[in-house]
Amino acid sequence: MRSLFLYAVVFVLVASCVWSPSGHAESPPNIVWIWCDNLAYRDLSCYGSPTIRTPVIDQLARDGARFTQYYIGHVVCSPSRAALLTGRQPFRSGIIDVLRPDSPIGIPDDEITLGEAMRDAGYATMAIGKWHLGDRPQYLPTRHGFDGYLGLPYSMDMSPTILIRDDRIVAELAGSKVENITERYTDEAIRFITVSVDQPFFLYFSHTLPHPPINLSPQHRTDGRPIYEDAIEHVDQQTGKLLAAIDRLGLRDNTLVFFSSDNGPMSNGGDTGGLRGGIRSSYEGGVRVPLIARWPGKIPAGREVNTPAIAYDIFPTLVRLTGGQLASDRAYDGQDIWPLLSGDGDFQRQHPFYWIYTDKVTAVRDGNWKLHVGDGEKPLDKPELYDVSRDPRESRPLNDQHPDVVQRLLNQIDEYQKQVPPTWRLIYNVRDRAKQNGGIRRE
């Protein structure tokens, strides 16, 4: 009897340290979120690129789940990042367009970011790379849940190109310093996970590539080849360095790794695979991007997820996995997609997806139907209805065949529009004379 009792005690102790489907765990997973800046839907070979080789990311997909209908929460970078980090529509945090250098606004103090949620769950947290949610001290990552930060506060085409550590400018980048920024980011990521092995960690790794201007050192260039393609392969190689470090530290089996993009491509080389539109457009090419997730033993290898998901689903999913609870004092727009990742349990989408440009709804997806009423700031002359499951290129409007669906979705848009506050245009002076008007570098 004594032996049986001791066995039972040991079993309970061991079981208590193992992650359970309820999402509560004594040993929750490390979380690594990696995404690129303006990576298009078909820019990875595992998504069909005929010219770009990404063997590391392809293997990540073979070892885990690859989503075929994953969407970002907004059509440009600052709001898209706000949607991911808060689990909420960007208009709720007031981040509705690209933030410029010296913007007087940024992510509000009362928003709860993934960094804050993970830190509250006992995680070490680190943000690396592009931030783009405000460049003044009160808006930087270290004021919003991250223990440390190394990166650029805005896009690579905004001037001056400053590198910030925590809340201080440590360098103004030019020449080879810009060319080697991806390697520097990766080295910092490896340093962070190395010193964090004794506690769970959350690494938010936001590449500046392949957003223009693309800067690569000569050893990473291929004669006669578009620099855009070399840039994505360089990201793949650096991802390999980071994943190798995770393996070397014995962290592979308890680390959930994501790879994705913040929005569709600009006109500098991104391949949407024939999907219509790009950045600033709520057509599929602007909002449908890659999403890959690997967690050995928890996410089945080689899983293909064809069910639609959206960026603001990530917040509630990770909060659940780490044993937390969503705040009850605010609206969350996403839902837990762990059943899609793991293949365990049923998943039913509770609400349609809406895309908003400034203060106007431009599109809604509900089931297989997607209705467009605007393209960027321009209202469409008439709505356009598509069955995106059969016509992902959105080339055959079905308004005439399904007027009832058009009217239903228009009613949904009208109802949702009521909660979107009007936008006031803000014009402000740029304090730093090294910056051009609007903060954009002019070559």
Side-chain angles (χ1 to χ4, degrees), residues 242-313:
L242 177 58
L243 296 180
I246 290 173
D247 291 351
R248 186 170 61 251
L249 294 167
L251 302 173
R252 177 189 177 96
D253 289 345
N254 199 38
T255 300
L256 172 55
V257 180
F258 292 94
F259 190 94
S260 190
S261 174
D262 69 338
N263 48 249
M266 300 175 77
S267 58
N268 63 315
D271 180 3
T272 66
L275 299 179
R276 182 178 176 184
I279 190 171
R280 293 191 178 273
S281 171
S282 51
Y283 289 105
E284 292 290 286
V287 294
R288 189 189 292 206
V289 299
L291 177 67
I292 295 165
R294 185 194 76 182
W295 186 6
K298 306 298 188 298
I299 297 175
R303 179 168 174 76
E304 183 176 286
V305 181
N306 299 310
T307 303
I310 197 163
Y312 40 70
D313 291 334

Side-chain angles (χ1 to χ4, degrees), residues 8 27 47 89 94 169 184 219 235 238 323 415:
S27 298
Y47 277 83
Q89 275 277 9
I169 298 173
R184 186 165 181 177
Q219 65 263 36
V235 168
Q238 295 300 304
E415 189 63 29

